[in-house]
Amino acid sequence: MNLYIRREASKLWKRLCSEITTEIGLLAENWKYLLAGLLCQYIHGLAARGVHYIHRPGPTLQDSGFFVLPELGQDKGYISETVFTCVFVSFFLWTFHPFIVKSKKIYTVLIWCRVLAFLVACQFLRVITFYSTQLPGPNYHCREGSELARLPKPHNVLEVLLLNFPRGVIYGCGDLIFSSHMIFTLVFVRTYQKYGSKRFIKLLGWVIAILQSLLIIASRKHYTVDVVVAWYTVNLVVFFLDNKLPELPDRTMVLLPVISKDRTKEENPKLLNGNSVDPADWRPRAQVNGKDSSGGHTDNNTNGA
């Protein structure tokens, strides 16, 4: 038993070291994109902080979602935040699964470059919308009479730049028209839909996204229009960018020689003797039951192989 554990631990360690080496190489090539994406996340937070200074509380707008969905109440606002935290943490951990899981389809660095590109594009549109039109926030701390509904003038620049994290993020007002939580949720769900492997988790992801939408409205954190706009805009942005960005390399592809029928008899002895064929003939092909999709067959009954 101890021997088996040591052997498996050794395999895991070798796999981890190999993956770290690969990801470091990708990080050296793509660190600029990751840094730019993280910087844009900060700029988005800075914009949301800035619009809070110009927020003016007022009567809550008429909203059909508020009439249909029962109000959870101020003391149950943590429910939607808990659901979002679970989605965020789960997706974050999944992007690092290639370091420990044997069957892997993605590279961590490349998948985050893609995800950050989606987030930046959606958040750029979000910033434009809530600076174009300021609406009275429906959240409890954004209503008239609340001390947090309007921020006093900052005493210095650092007060704005530091964002008062995390309190300034949780108790923000004025960043409406889009739901920030739905941007992250939908980007994560769509990314797993394409690059994930578990069908049940894909279905569960969409169910959670719908549940998150309803919880946001029931918690009165956003108007229904904020959630609706996020649903169709995020999907359109991701669809458009996904077609424009270069496709991620598929780690499950196996390089097998493609041999035409006319060259099968000529090349098979070379392969059996350990000689390679022309490199130009190597292409990614799928292998099924000992046969390649090009029509060539592997002879399993050769003598003296």
Side-chain angles (χ1 to χ4, degrees), residues 119-234:
L119 292 176
V120 169
C122 294
Q123 290 167 344
F124 175 75
L125 294 175
R126 180 173 188 259
V127 171
I128 292 177
T129 55
F130 65 62
Y131 269 105
S132 300
T133 303
Q134 286 82 48
L135 299 177
N139 211 333
Y140 300 101
H141 64 268
C142 298
R143 299 176 183 178
E144 291 180 302
S146 173
E147 296 180 357
L148 299 174
R150 298 178 63 178
L151 290 180
K153 291 184 178 180
H155 296 91
N156 51 61
V157 178
L158 286 179
E159 186 177 336
V160 180
L161 297 179
L162 294 179
L163 303 180
N164 191 22
F165 186 84
R167 184 179 176 84
V169 176
I170 298 174
Y171 293 101
C173 294
D175 51 336
L176 300 173
I177 309 296
F178 251 115
S179 171
S180 179
H181 282 25
M182 288 309 303
I183 290 177
F184 280 91
T185 300
L186 290 172
V187 167
F188 292 165
V189 170
R190 283 191 62 100
T191 302
Y192 188 84
Q193 177 71 30
K194 182 173 183 179
Y195 299 105
S197 57
K198 304 298 183 181
R199 186 176 181 180
F200 170 75
I201 298 180
K202 294 179 182 181
L203 178 61
L204 180 63
W206 287 111
V207 172
I208 292 177
I210 296 173
L211 176 64
Q212 175 76 359
S213 303
L214 300 177
L215 286 174
I216 289 175
I217 299 172
S219 300
R220 305 303 188 250
K221 294 183 177 180
H222 278 277
Y223 293 110
T224 305
V225 67
D226 303 333
V227 174
V228 172
V229 169
W231 265 93
Y232 68 75
T233 305
V234 172

Side-chain angles (χ1 to χ4, degrees), residues 68-80:
V68 174
L69 296 175
E71 187 173 355
L72 288 179
Q74 190 172 1
D75 58 331
K76 294 183 176 62
Y78 67 90
I79 298 178
S80 64

